[in-house]
Amino acid sequence: MAMRRQGLARVINLVAPGSGLVLLRREWLGLAVAALFAVLGQVVVLGWWVVPLDVPRWMPWVAGAVAVVLWAHAQWLLHCRIRLNASPVLAEELADLRSRAADALVRGDHAEAQRVLQVALSIDDEDMDVAVLWARLKSAQGERDAARRGWRRVLALSPGAEQRRAARDVLAAL
């Protein structure tokens, strides 16, 4: 799934710079790049084809040049994000965070578990084990609505029927 998402991110980033970053969880950066590219494109279109006499001659050329540089920079940003996501160090860090959160849950230290899980979710909010730990934490804290949302998230991320059945059982009990 991750490889397919990265491939899709590369393709759509070629067409709409910044959109691939949005797909890879860099929403604000991707949105800013896409919006700036769109504004520059508008200046080019207006200056060359729509109202060329009302726009200074130099403006569409400068906007076009900046748009090309921005397009190239968006491809570089996406490449860097994909490399970061594939880093084995990041995977090790996520595994360490999951372990620390599980230990904190066993000890009943909900504040520590929540702190650690928030960091883990910021790294990868589609990690199945992190989602389960988050749902367990919210259940243990007695936050019924948050726990339901957490277990529904587990259902959405679950690859296996057994995991989905366990999540449905917990949801039914809430």
Side-chain angles (χ1 to χ4, degrees):
M1 166 110 162
M3 293 300 288
R4 196 168 76 191
R5 176 176 284 189
Q6 290 175 359
L8 178 61
R10 286 184 193 273
V11 169
I12 65 172
N13 206 60
L14 290 171
V15 176
S19 58
L21 293 166
V22 172
L23 190 62
L24 295 182
R25 304 279 187 244
R26 298 292 296 168
E27 291 90 356
W28 288 107
L29 178 60
L31 180 63
V33 168
L36 182 56
F37 187 79
V39 168
L40 292 168
Q42 290 282 335
V43 171
V44 170
V45 169
L46 287 171
W48 282 342
W49 295 296
V50 178
V51 287
L53 298 177
D54 292 338
V55 177
R57 251 180 114 68
W58 59 268
M59 194 175 289
W61 289 101
V62 171
V66 173
V68 167
V69 170
L70 183 63
W71 181 89
H73 189 66
Q75 306 316 309
W76 178 76
L77 287 171
L78 182 70
H79 173 74
C80 290
R81 182 65 181 179
I82 288 171
R83 280 186 45 216
L84 176 67
N85 286 350
S87 169
V89 173
L90 193 65
E92 291 171 11
E93 185 65 28
L94 190 58
D96 180 54
L97 290 168
R98 283 191 303 258
S99 173
R100 289 172 47 197
D103 290 345
L105 273 173
V106 168
R107 289 191 319 269
D109 188 353
H110 295 162
E112 174 68 7
Q114 182 160 341
R115 186 184 67 74
V116 171
L117 285 172
Q118 285 174 330
V119 173
L121 286 168
S122 72
I123 293 172
D124 185 0
D125 66 346
E126 293 186 351
D127 184 88
M128 175 67 187
D129 296 328
V130 172
V132 169
L133 288 169
W134 183 260
R136 283 181 44 211
L137 170 68
K138 291 302 167 184
S139 295
Q141 290 176 325
E143 297 180 27
R144 294 175 62 87
D145 290 338
R148 280 189 191 100
R149 283 191 303 273
W151 287 110
R152 284 188 197 113
R153 181 76 175 146
V154 169
L155 275 174
L157 294 173
S158 296
E162 185 176 324
Q163 293 168 325
R164 282 194 296 275
R165 188 176 322 110
R168 277 192 207 103
D169 292 344
V170 173
L171 271 171
L174 288 173

